[in-house]
């Protein structure tokens, strides 16, 4: 499989900020981006001249799109597997449909991770409230019930603190494909952004420490403030996951860090560039976005060393209104996603600040 | 005059790589770019969804364009002054038509620089070969005859080493608006990229050292390897120029550095972002492109400190064919302008490498 050359067109399913930043990274390398998105307006349509507005089950549009692009990727994992499967009959799609299938189903995902000898939270797949109650006898309380598919940013989840709460929690999710997950007593959440190229080459970024507010990522700090042994172990786990999946592209591995063994447990994997890797735009020679483009185009992966310690702050909802101060802050690298309406909980932009690697942060 | 907010649209006259990189910088801050360019295809049309293909004297198109954008700027100084004047009746244009007029005419430009008490090469405006011969009695040989307007990359120039060569050289330029310039015995060419905001705030980048090959910029090194006193003096000259012009935007000042006094002479100014400032994308918190967008939108100027020593190498013509090796070089930040045909002398992309500030370069 030969590498794509500049001038080639990358098809991107999904037109949010991740698609937008992928398209901008592609442009720096001379590639064109063709965004496929069902919405009338979306952040990525402002940064390329090639856009298809159609639904993910519009077979005619998909077939036409496949003929217009040289490779396809996606910016979010809730793309229907059938969409990717149909495109893959005509054009290379990275990451492939199998990866997408595993990552769309929390149950399959955890089983896959455990099969690699990597720890997760204790879990069980259940179809009824009674099965949940039965599973919780082993898993213990508190625990969380989640829909197996299509959850993000805390949606599709219900916490249960005792047996009494289980039936209502189960019913609130409106699905019979549920996973019960035990709580992990963790000290920190971290993530590793890792890439695997078409040739099998693997390169990870340093692990980032992630701070959530209201179930949405608020701040990422890279490198995560844990011991070097744990950082190396986290990177090794992430490298093992992409290698075992025969993965092509950038993948994010979210992990819990605990004081007790197993000190690292995988929370979830995302087969795409990830909010917790945005600092790589300024902090590394190659950003996660350029790395993903390099990987899916068959180019050598880029260097991932850190120029400095990075702190990425998401600008959620009204936080974007502070833009004037941020633009006046000489430390702030400001990114605005071009969304005009600052709805609560909506990711509007982010700011990255770089500091010397040995500086002790006051966060 | 209030600052523009993200979501506003910046009109850019010209669709080459400078327009392309301006549009990409605008997108990072959440601004949209509308490119006005007469060509059928051009590098900047790949990175925005707003494009007008029309000639610079198409009044209907200009009037319509003025209504579609919130501010206008340009990526090259050979835009007709009339175009800018017509647009300026309906929308803010930065830099303004007066600046454009001065910088389009080598004679006006040098007179303006000298009037600020800043040295240039000795020069005279001439209309005939005989006037050129007369002026050269004072200026001396060798010297160079240049068309007063619309020269770039060594085009519209003829060197004269003796009186005999003057008539033919004059005729070869095909114009009666000629400037005779004496040779400056310089050790180095440098440039200062400087910005002035709408509020009058001025910020310069560190001077860069420029190495030309075949009259085209080949390599820029920042900071220029000259004494700190000279670097500071060069920055002061540049700051004086933008202040005196009431300039808004980024301006490039090219200077000759000599061993003898005056040690700095201005070669020319360019009212736009400049090839010799491309290293700022990686080497500084704010790139020259973002700085220009900030300036014309009325935002505070960004920080221009250097993260490291930067070496920018242009990829001219066939040099772009080495892309595979460049992408495998962990030091190389590769930029490809999306041009498919690598004609000789054509700027196809550039590569920037960062080194520690105290590293002695082998260039």
């Amino acid at each position: 499989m030969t590498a794509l050359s500049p001038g080639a067109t990358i098809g991107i399913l999904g037109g949010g900020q991740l698609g937008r930043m992928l398209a901008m990274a592609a442009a720096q390398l001379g590639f064109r981006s063709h965004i496929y998105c069902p919405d009338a307006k979306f952040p990525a349509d402002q940064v390329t001249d090639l856009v298809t507005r159609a639904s993910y089950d519009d077979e005619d549009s998909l077939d036409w799109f496949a003929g217009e692009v040289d490779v396809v990727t996606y910016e979010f994992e809730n793309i229907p597997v059938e969409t990717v499967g149909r495109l893959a009959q005509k054009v290379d799609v990275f990451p492939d449909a199998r990866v997408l299938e595993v990552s769309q189903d929390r149950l399959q995902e955890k089983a896959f991770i455990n099969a690699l000898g990597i720890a997760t939270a204790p879990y069980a797949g259940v179809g009824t409230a009674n099965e949940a109650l039965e599973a919780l006898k082993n898993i213990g309380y508190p625990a969380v019930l989640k829909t197996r598919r299509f959850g993000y940013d805390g949606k599709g989840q219900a916490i249960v603190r005792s047996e009494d709460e289980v039936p209502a929690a189960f019913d609130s999710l409106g699905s019979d494909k549920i996973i019960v997950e035990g709580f992990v007593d963790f000290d920190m959440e971290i993530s590793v952004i890792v890439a695997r190229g078409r040739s099998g080459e693997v390169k990870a970024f340093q692990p980032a420490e992630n701070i959530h507010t209201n179930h949405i990522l608020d701040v990422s700090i890279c490198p995560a403030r844990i011991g070097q042994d744990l950082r190396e172990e986290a990177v090794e786990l992430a490298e093992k996951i992409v290698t075992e999946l025969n993965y092509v592209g950038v993948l994010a591995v979210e992990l819990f860090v605990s004081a007790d063994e197993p000190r690292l447990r995988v929370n979830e994997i995302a087969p795409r560039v990830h909010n917790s890797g945005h600092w790589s735009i300024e902090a590394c020679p190659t950003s996660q976005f350029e790395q993903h483009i390099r990987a899916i185009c068959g180019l050598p992966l880029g260097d991932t060393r850190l120029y400095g310690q990075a702190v990425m702050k998401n600008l959620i909802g009204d936080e974007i209104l502070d833009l004037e101060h941020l633009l006046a802050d000489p430390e702030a690298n400001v990114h605005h996603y071009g969304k005009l309406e600052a709805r609560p909980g909506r990711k509007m932009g982010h700011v990255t600040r770089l500091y010397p690697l040995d500086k002790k942060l006051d966060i």
Side-chain angles (χ1 to χ4, degrees), chain A:
Chain A
M1 190 179 285
T2 55
L4 296 181
S5 295
T9 301
I10 298 164
I12 300 176
L13 304 175
Q17 61 266 20
L18 300 179
R20 178 179 170 102
M21 290 186 274
L22 280 171
M24 291 164 77
Q28 182 180 320
L29 295 182
F31 291 99
R32 308 188 68 183
S33 294
H34 188 143
I35 312 285
Y36 190 108
C37 185
D39 302 342
K41 283 172 70 91
F42 44 86
D45 72 3
Q46 300 168 8
V47 298
T48 183
D49 57 335
L50 303 174
V51 169
T52 295
R53 287 180 177 80
S55 71
Y56 295 123
D57 59 3
D58 177 341
E59 298 188 345
D60 288 345
S61 292
L62 289 171
D63 290 348
W64 179 81
F65 178 69
E68 290 291 302
V69 299
D70 298 292
V71 65
V72 169
T73 190
Y74 39 90
E75 61 139 27
F76 72 126
E77 63 272 32
N78 290 340
I79 298 277
V81 171
E82 298 71 28
T83 300
V84 167
R86 186 165 185 105
L87 290 168
Q89 291 171 14
K90 298 196 171 188
V91 62
D92 290 323
V93 183
F94 300 113
D96 67 24
R98 186 192 147 231
V99 165
L100 193 60
E101 213 167 342
V102 169
S103 68
Q104 280 183 357
D105 183 341
R106 295 179 193 277
L107 194 63
Q108 278 194 57
E109 184 180 278
K110 283 199 163 48
F112 165 73
I113 299 292
N114 286 172
L116 298 183
I118 301 172
T120 61
Y123 70 92
V126 299
T128 64
N130 277 340
E131 284 177 21
L133 283 164
E134 193 61 31
L136 282 160
K137 286 180 184 164
N138 291 319
I139 291 171
Y141 294 87
V144 58
L145 306 189
K146 298 178 178 176
T147 53
R148 281 171 55 179
R149 295 162 61 86
F150 300 129
Y152 64 96
D153 287 350
K155 296 186 176 79
Q157 305 196 4
I159 293 174
V160 287
R161 287 175 196 78
S162 66
E163 285 186 9
D164 311 346
E165 295 179 5
V166 173
F170 190 93
D171 290 346
S172 75
L173 297 175
S175 167
D176 62 354
K177 291 188 189 306
I178 298 297
I179 183 171
V180 182
E181 291 183 21
F183 259 53
V184 175
D185 183 21
F186 62 87
D187 297 327
M188 187 186 288
E189 288 184 70
I190 66 171
S191 58
V192 179
I193 310 293
V194 60
R196 184 170 173 277
R198 287 197 193 176
S199 67
E201 179 191 15
V202 172
K203 267 189 191 165
F205 292 86
Q206 282 286 307
E209 171 181 345
N210 300 323
I211 301 169
H212 292 77
T213 305
N214 301 326
H215 296 288
I216 301 176
L217 182 66
D218 184 18
V219 172
S220 282
I221 301 168
C222 187
R225 292 169 293 179
I226 52 176
Q228 197 182 330
D229 54 333
L230 268 185
R231 288 209 297 267
E232 285 173 9
E233 194 185 329
V235 164
E236 279 166 24
L237 296 186
E239 290 176 345
K240 188 170 186 179
I241 290 169
V242 286
T243 302
E244 291 293 327
L245 282 171
N246 270 317
Y247 192 86
V248 174
V250 159
L251 175 132
V253 182
E254 293 185 308
L255 302 112
F256 297 125
V257 181
S258 305
D260 301 324
E261 293 291 341
R263 297 200 59 195
L264 295 176
R265 291 176 194 259
V266 168
N267 176 27
E268 62 180 40
I269 61 176
R272 54 170 168 85
V273 290
H274 196 260
N275 194 170
S276 69
H278 289 358
W279 41 265
S280 59
I281 295 174
E282 286 84 12
C284 303
T286 313
S287 73
Q288 65 166 343
F289 303 101
E290 178 175 337
Q291 195 74 303
H292 188 70
I293 299 298
R294 283 173 176 251
I296 66 172
C297 291
L299 301 171
L301 298 181
D303 194 26
T304 57
R305 96 191 97 122
L306 279 177
Y307 288 135
Q309 199 174 189
V311 179
M312 188 288 305
K313 165 89 180 83
N314 268 339
L315 301 173
I316 311 276
D318 282 353
E319 288 177 342
I320 198 72
L321 302 179
D322 193 34
L323 200 63
E324 194 184 335
H325 291 105
L326 292 169
L327 288 169
D329 175 354
E331 302 290 342
N333 292 284
V334 179
H335 297 254
H336 188 296
Y337 303 149
K339 302 174 187 176
L340 294 186
E341 200 190 341
R343 290 198 294 270
R346 195 177 198 200
K347 292 176 180 171
M348 301 296 294
H350 74 269
V351 174
T352 298
R353 294 178 172 83
L354 292 188
Y355 303 101
L357 279 168
D358 55 1
K359 182 183 166 77
K360 192 163 164 58
L361 299 175
D362 186 25
I363 297 172

